[in-house]
Amino acid sequence: MKVLVLGGVAAGTKIAAKLMREDRGNEVIVLNKGKNISYAGCGLPYYVGHVIEDKEQLIVNTPEKYSKLTGVTVLTETEAVKVDPQAKKVTARDVNTGEEKEYDYDKLVISVGASPVKPPIEGCDLENVFFVRTPEDAIALRDVVDAGNIKRAVVVGAGYIGLEIAENLKLLGVRPFVLDMAPHALPGFDAEMAEYVEGKLQESGIPVVTGVTVTGIEGSGKVEKVTTSKKAYKADLVVLSAGIRPNTAFLE
């Protein structure tokens, strides 16, 4: 049986390996948009803060090592752009050359993950505005902070990633403010637990402002200020961590 797996990291690599363990006669191919098929996403904030020092520690498996271990064929920097379920074909594009190629399958696994939500506000494309979703994101963010010119940061989103990023920026001597439109940090937690966490963050020098909507990011080429429904916050750096959206638009 020929199985095509769209996407790597946690879900894609695990199911591909499992299929090969179940039947070595299977032909399993993973198409992955990025260079890295297996990395420790939970470690990204701690790489920024030098708790994890080497970027190699973020990479769980290289494509070459994974293929040798499992027998799965891995094609990186190959983005699925169209699925034809009647013909059982996937069209994929080489992200470097733009060249498109078709891949046929008996069974298809879609595990393309998600991308950070880009708020519908002005200024998201200014210099020193970051998302933290991939090792490349974390490496770029740490490089900017390590350059020594970042004094104040605004983190938009008080979920796990946002709070961990704020914690690690504080470790590096940056003063972080965390903003969230929800009534409390850690949306989904009960109010009592969330208030306890907010108190501990405040004691640690990480103020969390909730019930506030970010309306814009301002600056001349580089971020200088974040405007909200209540007040403005000066910032040398902004990290947007306001949720994720599944990468399924190509299926429409």
Side-chain angles (χ1 to χ4, degrees):
M1 180 170 66
K2 185 174 184 180
V3 183
L4 201 57
V5 180
L6 308 184
V9 196
T13 55
K14 284 183 174 64
I15 197 166
K18 176 67 172 175
L19 286 166
M20 291 301 289
R21 285 198 300 271
E22 292 292 317
D23 185 351
R24 298 297 289 187
N26 286 329
E27 180 186 359
V28 183
I29 302 172
V30 173
L31 305 184
N32 193 66
K33 181 180 178 181
K35 290 182 180 180
N36 300 303
I37 62 159
S38 187
Y39 59 84
C42 293
L44 300 182
Y46 298 98
Y47 175 79
V48 173
H50 289 264
V51 177
I52 295 174
E53 192 58 52
D54 299 321
K55 59 186 177 184
E56 287 75 18
Q57 291 177 272
L58 298 172
I59 307 303
V60 179
N61 249 328
T62 64
E64 296 77 17
K65 181 181 174 183
Y66 174 82
S67 291
K68 187 175 180 180
L69 182 68
T70 63
V72 173
T73 299
V74 178
L75 302 176
T76 59
E77 298 184 287
T78 304
E79 181 185 9
V81 294
K82 182 182 177 182
V83 175
D84 184 341
Q86 279 71 44
K88 291 192 172 182
K89 291 182 183 294
V90 167
T91 303
R93 179 184 299 131
D94 184 307
V95 300
N96 296 310
T97 66
E99 181 183 356
E100 293 189 352
K101 183 177 177 180
E102 283 191 341
Y103 298 84
D104 60 336
Y105 63 85
D106 299 312
K107 298 287 185 181
L108 178 67
V109 178
I110 299 172
S111 56
V112 288
S115 295
V117 170
K118 185 176 181 179
I121 57 175
E122 293 289 331
C124 288
D125 297 322
L126 287 172
E127 185 178 342
N128 287 356
V129 177
F130 290 91
F131 297 95
V132 181
R133 186 68 180 170
T134 67
E136 290 79 14
D137 294 334
I139 291 165
L141 175 54
R142 189 167 98 171
D143 286 348
V144 167
V145 177
D146 285 355
N149 299 317
I150 306 300
K151 305 301 181 187
R152 292 167 295 199
V154 168
V155 179
V156 180
Y160 292 119
I161 296 295
L163 296 183
E164 288 167 358
I165 284 291
E167 171 194 12
N168 282 278
L169 289 173
K170 183 71 166 55
L171 286 175
L172 298 176
V174 177
R175 186 185 182 195
F177 280 86
V178 181
L179 311 178
D180 201 298
M181 65 188 299
H184 292 287
L186 296 173
F189 274 52
D190 62 81
E192 182 181 6
M193 180 63 78
E195 288 170 0
Y196 176 82
V197 171
E198 290 168 11
K200 285 294 182 182
L201 288 163
Q202 188 73 41
E203 291 173 15
S204 302
I206 304 174
V208 179
V209 182
T210 56
V212 62
T213 302
V214 174
T215 57
I217 303 171
E218 298 180 1
S220 180
K222 184 183 296 185
V223 61
E224 298 171 8
K225 181 170 64 176
V226 175
T227 58
T228 76
S229 53
K230 292 184 178 178
K231 59 175 288 187
Y233 296 84
K234 291 182 179 179
D236 306 305
L237 179 146
V238 172
V239 178
L240 297 172
S241 181
I244 56 175
R245 181 177 290 114
N247 293 327
T248 51
F250 75 101
L251 296 172
E252 294 175 5

